[in-house]
Structures are given as structure tokens and as C-alpha cells.
Amino acid sequence: MPMHDNLNPQAESHLHGPLFKNALETLEEAAKLINCDPNILERLRRPRRSITVSVPVRMDDQSVKVFTGYRVQYNSTLGPYKGGIRYHQNVDLTEVVGLAALMTFKNSVLGLPLGGAKGGVCVDPTKLSRTEKQNLTRRYASEISSFIGPTKDIPAPDVGTDPQTMAWFMDTYSQEQGGYAQPGVVTGKPVEIGGSLGRNHATGLGVIYVCERAMEMIGMKMSGSRIVIQGFGNVGSFAAKFAFERGARIIAVSDVSGGIHNGDGLNIPQLIEYVKQNKTIKGFPHSQPVSNEQLLELDCDALLPCALEGQIDTHNAENIKCKLIVEGANGPVTNAATKILHKRKIFIAPDVIANGGGVIVSYFEWVQDIMSFFWDEADVDSKLKGIILKAFDTSYKLQQEKNIDMRSAAMAVSVQRLEKAMLLRGLYPR
Ligand code: GLU
């Protein structure tokens, strides 16, 4: 793929991570499908702005540790930049670039008036005390504060961050703006300070709306189906809850400690209580342990990878035994694995649609903050359903017409919308 000539390869090393490489491959394919303007494609191949900051933090033992943080603003043609903030020990600039690209394509295919961005700090949040996590969040927020704001770039939670993190983020930004509350600077906040009802469960609920619709399309039913879920954080645990309530049997789930399995189905409400007390799924009664590798290869109807990227690649794609994959995580199935699974007639509901519930309700939260007028939860859930299923149905139609995989179809819809908007806005200065 032609990137750029005459450039020092070292200067572009942040553009060569595996996640971004995957995103670029799907972009190139989609561009071909829609016959995208080559100048637009050239611009879509790289992030607009990549910010790296040092984040010095006073630890509980009074020593100072310096962490590295990032914010990548990929594209703002459709609106203010939008995307989460990840705290994880594997975060680096290449990963954040990949995630920011995915946010751009996600917000476009969902039809939201938002651009795409992502942030992260390279840190293991499980090793931080509450005070240390607060110190880290406030200093990171301060370091990037001149680049964010309710009309500029609106962060949100992702892996390792939560509503409390967003509360500290919003407070730091507001204090630095003279103390005036600025709820619209981040989404995924607690409801008491301008968060939206339904935001916390939104990604998991969206995954299940998409799972149900995909099942319908391939002649299956949610009730009585056997589902395997990788990851039991904000996305996986709510997806499990909503699937369980719809009569599905959740036969296996996993978290960082490994997986648990019960062929008759796990009792999800009890498991959620167990995790509240024990902080892990490990040792849950009436279940057998399984490894992460075994879990992905279990015989089931639907597999929901809701953890991290790169979980299903060319090494295990041939061994996957489900009929349907719904990507709750960002980038869990590589592009090469997508092709293998498509040949094997395993249907994939791609991340840019399937996990879009989070950013859709983030959009609602931002709108509610601007209006200072708040909606009830049923209203939020039903508006979420309308937007996510519209994106699914539009992409599904294209997938059927062109006989391609759903990822390519979703990307084609996304790139087409971006292309139109970029052509209308033109290139500045010209
Ligand atoms: N981190 C979530 C995602 O990957 C949500 C982003 C947002 O709400 O802005 O889509």
C-alpha cells in the first residue's frame, strides 16, 4: 500500500502498529468498492494530530512516577472529535492511532455528527490506588486540556476507565476554565453531574440489539441460543445480562484471570453479584475453568469478543466453531481472519457497528448536556436501538448486494459518508 515516498520511516513508526494496519487494509478495500476519490483516500490514511504527553504522578509512597499519555485526533470532518480514553499497560501511540481511526469509521457509519479520536495512558490501572488514579487522571486531563472541549474533542471511558474517571476529568477541565462547570467536555459521566441515563449499559445493550438482528438475518433466535462471551468488564457483563434476560444460555465467559464454562448456562445475575464481591469470575460455583484459547474455540451459536483487539487471527480462525461473531471490543478479529471466517460462512457483526452503543449514547449525553434537558432511560434505549439497527440494516443490504463480508460493507458505508463530507468541505487552503 503506498503510504508516502521520501519520508524518514522512523518518523512514521507510529503508523505501523497491527491494529492500524488492519484498519488501513479495510479502508483500502472499502475505498475500492465505492471508487473513492484518491485524494480523499490519501487524507484518510493518516491521523490529523497525534499528541504525546508526560504525566507525572505523586504516588502514595510520595515518590513521583512519570507515565506516558496520548490523544490522537484522527478526523474532524463530520463534527468534534470523539472517542474514549484507555488505561492499560499495553497502550502505545500505534495502538491509539489504530483506535482513533476505528472511532472515525464508527462514528461515520453510525451517522453521528462526530469526528474520531482516542486517548490512552500506558499504565496498569489495577496497580494504582484510588488517589493515584485520580492524580494521574487530573494531570493527564490538564496536559491535553487545550486540545479538548465541548466543541473540540470530547473524551469518554474505554478499557480501564469508568464514570468516576470521567468525573475527575470533567472537574479538572472545569477548574482550569475558571471553575465554571463544563459537563459537555466528556461523556460517560455519573448521572449526578450531567451523565445520561442508559450510558453505562449502552455498549452491552447495543451489542445485544445487533446480535438479535444478526441472528434474525441468519435464521437463528436469541432465546435458547448458546453464547460465549470473552471479557466481563463494562461491555461483556452487560451483554451477558441482556442476553440472559432474553433467554439465551451464556455457556462461558472470561476475564483477565481466565474463563469459566457451564454447558447448561451460567447464572448471570449471580455471577454479576459474585464479581462485585470477589473482583473476578474465578472460582464461580457450578462452573469449570477454561483457558482463553479454549473459550474462543468452544462450540456455540454466537461468540461475543468483548475484551481487547487481535484475539482472533490467522492462528485460530480455522478453529472457531460459532455461527456468528458480534464484536463488542474494538478490533478483536483481524482483517485476514475476517476473510477466513467469511469463507467458512461465519457471520461477523463488525465492531464499528456492534459496539457503537457506547458512542451513540455518548452523543445523546453530549446533546443533553448542551440542552441541559435530560431524557428518561426508556427513551435513551429506544433511540439507541433505532440508530444502531439502521447502521446494521444499511450495511447488511450492501453486504447482500455485493456478496462481501459485513466489515467491508460497513466500512464502505462509512468511507462513502466521509468522502462526501470531505469533498463538500474541500481542502484548506485549497
Ligand atoms: N470507548 C468507546 C468506544 O470505543 C466509547 C467512545 C465514546 O463514547 O466516545 O466506542
Side-chain angles (χ1 to χ4, degrees):
M1 156 197 340
M3 194 51 122
H4 289 270
D5 310 323
N6 310 325
L7 288 180
N8 171 3
Q10 209 48 40
E12 299 210 315
S13 57
H14 64 296
L15 304 180
H16 295 290
L19 188 66
F20 188 47
K21 196 176 141 275
N22 260 293
L24 285 182
E25 276 173 29
T26 58
L27 167 65
E28 298 292 334
E29 285 175 24
K32 229 185 247 156
L33 264 169
I34 64 153
N35 205 8
C36 180
D37 181 307
N39 292 332
I40 298 296
L41 177 60
E42 175 69 355
R43 291 173 65 192
L44 282 174
R45 282 191 187 115
R46 47 176 50 220
R48 179 160 178 185
R49 181 184 284 145
S50 306
I51 304 152
T52 302
V53 295
S54 291
V55 186
V57 178
R58 174 90 52 201
M59 307 301 279
D60 290 346
D61 67 3
Q62 298 308 308
S63 68
V64 173
K65 265 201 189 145
V66 182
F67 299 88
T68 305
Y70 308 95
R71 184 73 183 169
V72 173
Q73 299 178 328
Y74 200 89
N75 183 290
S76 64
T77 302
L78 297 170
Y81 295 106
K82 185 87 194 80
I85 287 171
R86 178 173 292 196
Y87 290 173
H88 193 270
Q89 57 276 19
N90 295 346
V91 163
D92 63 20
L93 185 54
T94 67
E95 182 188 54
V96 182
V97 169
L99 292 166
L102 282 176
M103 275 318 300
T104 302
F105 300 124
K106 186 187 306 188
N107 293 338
S108 178
V109 70
L110 295 171
L112 304 178
L114 296 167
K118 199 82 174 199
V121 179
C122 178
V123 60
D124 181 350
T126 63
K127 299 223 165 80
L128 297 177
S129 70
R130 181 184 158 90
T131 309
E132 290 167 344
K133 193 170 177 186
Q134 177 169 180
N135 291 348
L136 175 104
T137 301
R138 288 187 180 280
R139 185 59 190 251
Y140 168 64
S142 175
E143 289 297 330
I144 63 166
S145 65
S146 51
F147 298 98
I148 61 172
T151 58
K152 293 185 191 171
D153 182 355
I154 307 124
D158 195 76
V159 176
T161 54
D162 59 12
Q164 176 62 72
T165 323
M166 295 304 114
W168 291 326
F169 213 102
M170 174 271 200
D171 184 68
T172 304
Y173 181 83
S174 301
Q175 299 303 346
E176 291 191 348
Q177 301 288 312
Y180 306 103
Q182 301 270 347
V185 66
V186 287
T187 58
K189 300 177 294 296
V191 283
E192 293 80 357
I193 55 167
S196 175
L197 291 169
R199 174 61 183 87
N200 205 30
H201 67 220
T203 315
L205 181 58
V207 165
I208 295 309
Y209 284 149
V210 168
C211 187
E212 265 181 321
R213 177 61 58 104
M215 283 178 161
E216 200 185 299
M217 293 301 136
I218 59 177
M220 280 160 56
K221 262 197 6 248
M222 172 72 74
S223 170
S225 65
R226 293 162 312 138
I227 296 186
V228 169
I229 304 181
Q230 185 195 36
F232 208 68
N234 176 264
V235 186
S237 64
F238 279 114
K241 174 181 179 281
F242 291 120
F244 183 86
E245 286 171 4
R246 286 161 171 73
R249 258 192 293 156
I250 320 301
I251 60 167
V253 302
S254 67
D255 67 8
V256 282
S257 73
I260 55 172
H261 178 242
N262 178 341
D264 295 329
L266 297 156
N267 185 319
I268 298 300
Q270 278 176 17
L271 178 58
I272 289 172
E273 274 314 303
Y274 182 88
V275 171
K276 263 189 204 147
Q277 272 156 34
N278 299 281
K279 307 270 168 262
T280 172
I281 60 169
K282 201 175 172 170
F284 182 62
H286 313 297
S287 71
Q288 302 82 44
V290 282
S291 71
N292 192 38
E293 295 73 45
Q294 289 168 330
L295 176 122
L296 293 172
E297 297 175 12
L298 284 171
D299 187 355
C300 64
D301 295 310
L303 172 62
L304 278 44
C306 298
L308 292 168
E309 60 262 25
Q311 300 300 301
I312 300 171
D313 56 17
T314 50
H315 296 100
N316 57 358
E318 292 289 358
N319 305 333
I320 302 296
K321 290 179 198 68
C322 61
K323 302 183 186 79
L324 163 68
I325 295 177
V326 185
E327 295 185 326
N330 288 311
V333 180
T334 65
N335 194 40
T338 300
K339 303 297 169 208
I340 296 173
L341 294 163
H342 181 64
K343 257 199 209 122
R344 294 187 53 219
K345 303 211 176 335
I346 295 174
F347 187 92
I348 302 180
D351 48 5
V352 288
I353 296 173
N355 70 35
V359 73
I360 291 170
V361 178
S362 272
Y363 164 56
F364 297 161
E365 180 174 332
W366 179 66
V367 168
Q368 292 170 83
D369 286 339
I370 292 169
M371 297 191 300
S372 278
F373 181 72
F374 291 86
W375 315 342
D376 63 33
E377 190 170 299
D379 204 11
V380 170
D381 288 355
S382 86
K383 285 193 168 81
L384 156 63
K385 188 173 186 180
I387 292 187
I388 205 162
L389 292 186
K390 185 173 169 214
F392 181 93
D393 292 346
T394 308
S395 302
Y396 185 76
K397 192 163 163 264
L398 188 69
Q399 186 250 347
Q400 292 286 298
E401 274 166 26
K402 303 243 179 205
N403 193 23
I404 49 179
D405 62 271
M406 261 300 264
R407 192 185 312 287
S408 305
M411 280 296 285
V413 172
S414 171
V415 174
Q416 192 147 45
R417 179 168 178 236
L418 280 160
E419 182 200 31
K420 276 189 193 148
M422 287 170 82
L423 286 171
L424 281 166
R425 287 187 58 166
L427 179 63
Y428 175 82
R430 57 179 289 278

